[in-house]
């Protein structure tokens, strides 16, 4: 299988199978740097780190694409609402449908926006993910609008990933400097003569 056809999480022949990028020095065939690697963001990869590699174009593409998809979703919902009008279900059902989509869209917007700003609690996340899948499906327009609004400022989730990456780099540098067996951290002391 070539690199283009291999899924991101599939193990490489002789690899760890964790899906995480391997850090390596010369013994692994990787670059001679150590430490944590930046996490990839959907549609951006790791271009968010230095804002290179078409970062601005990607942000514009995400903004335009998410707004276009939200508009297309609104048109589809309009056709669905016209179907309810043709069925003559009454104004009460029409109000319930519009209110339901509006509430679900607002909740999906908030949940998506919060995902860009902070990591949810892992214990609560697993239970909440299964119960809110329907809500996110119904409120897909709100989620797309959250992508649009966030991409006007930065890559969606960039602030969170940058804070995590910076903290990981600082921890790595502290550990690296505090190691007693690290020759790079030791300073040479002149020997005392008697």
């Amino acid at each position: 299988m070539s690199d283009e056809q291999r899924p991101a999480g599939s193990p490489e022949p002789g690899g760890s199978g964790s899906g995480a990028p391997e850090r390596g020095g010369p013994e692994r065939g990787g670059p001679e740097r150590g430490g944590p690697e930046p996490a990839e963001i959907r549609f951006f990869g790791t271009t968010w780190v230095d804002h290179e590699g078409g970062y601005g174009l990607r942000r514009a593409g995400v903004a335009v694409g998410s707004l276009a998809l939200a508009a297309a979703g609104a048109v589809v919902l309009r056709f669905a609402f016209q179907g309810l009008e043709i069925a003559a279900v009454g104004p009460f059902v029409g109000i319930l449908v519009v209110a339901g989509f509006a509430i679900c869209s607002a909740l999906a917007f908030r949940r998506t926006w919060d995902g860009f700003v902070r990591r949810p609690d892992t214990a609560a996340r697993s239970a909440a993910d299964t119960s809110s899948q329907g809500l996110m499906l119904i409120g897909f327009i709100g989620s797309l609008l959250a992508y649009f609004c966030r991409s006007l400022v930065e890559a969606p989730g960039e602030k969170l990933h940058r804070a995590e990456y910076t903290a990981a780099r600082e921890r790595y540098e502290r550990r690296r400097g505090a190691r007693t067996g690290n020759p790079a951290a030791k300073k040479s002391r002149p020997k005392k003569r008697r």
Side-chain angles (χ1 to χ4, degrees):
M1 217 178 214
S2 71
D3 289 337
E4 292 82 27
Q5 295 173 341
R6 183 173 290 119
S10 69
E12 302 236 341
S16 64
S18 65
E22 290 186 11
R23 288 180 221 79
E27 68 277 355
R28 294 224 174 173
E32 289 194 44
R33 66 169 195 247
E37 296 290 328
E40 292 187 4
I41 297 177
R42 182 182 297 159
F43 306 121
F44 292 90
T46 58
T47 61
W48 60 269
V49 176
D50 296 323
H51 293 183
E52 295 174 344
Y55 172 80
L57 291 174
R58 290 176 190 224
R59 260 187 51 200
V62 167
V64 169
S66 59
L67 189 61
L69 286 173
V75 169
V76 169
L77 288 179
R78 176 66 184 142
F79 287 141
F81 188 73
Q82 284 177 344
L84 288 176
E85 288 176 349
I86 292 171
V89 293
F92 180 71
V93 173
I95 291 170
L96 281 179
V97 168
V98 169
F101 274 106
I103 291 170
C104 287
S105 291
L107 291 173
F109 180 93
R110 179 63 182 191
R111 185 173 176 89
T112 305
W113 191 269
D114 284 345
F116 296 147
V117 178
R118 65 182 156 274
R119 295 263 183 234
D121 182 26
T122 55
R125 185 172 73 181
S126 62
D129 281 347
T130 57
S131 65
S132 67
Q133 286 176 350
L135 173 96
M136 294 293 282
L137 184 64
I138 294 170
F140 68 97
I141 291 178
S143 186
L144 289 169
L145 289 176
Y147 260 91
F148 169 72
C149 292
R150 197 64 183 188
S151 63
L152 293 177
V153 178
E154 65 179 8
E158 179 181 345
K159 183 178 181 180
L160 174 66
H161 282 80
R162 189 171 301 282
E164 290 174 348
Y165 179 60
T166 303
R169 292 291 304 172
E170 288 172 359
R171 283 192 307 269
Y172 172 76
E173 292 299 327
R174 273 196 312 261
R175 280 194 317 261
R176 185 172 174 256
R179 278 189 217 137
T180 58
N182 187 355
K186 289 183 180 179
K187 295 182 180 178
S188 61
R189 296 180 185 173
K191 294 183 179 181
K192 293 182 181 179
R193 293 186 179 181
R194 295 184 186 195

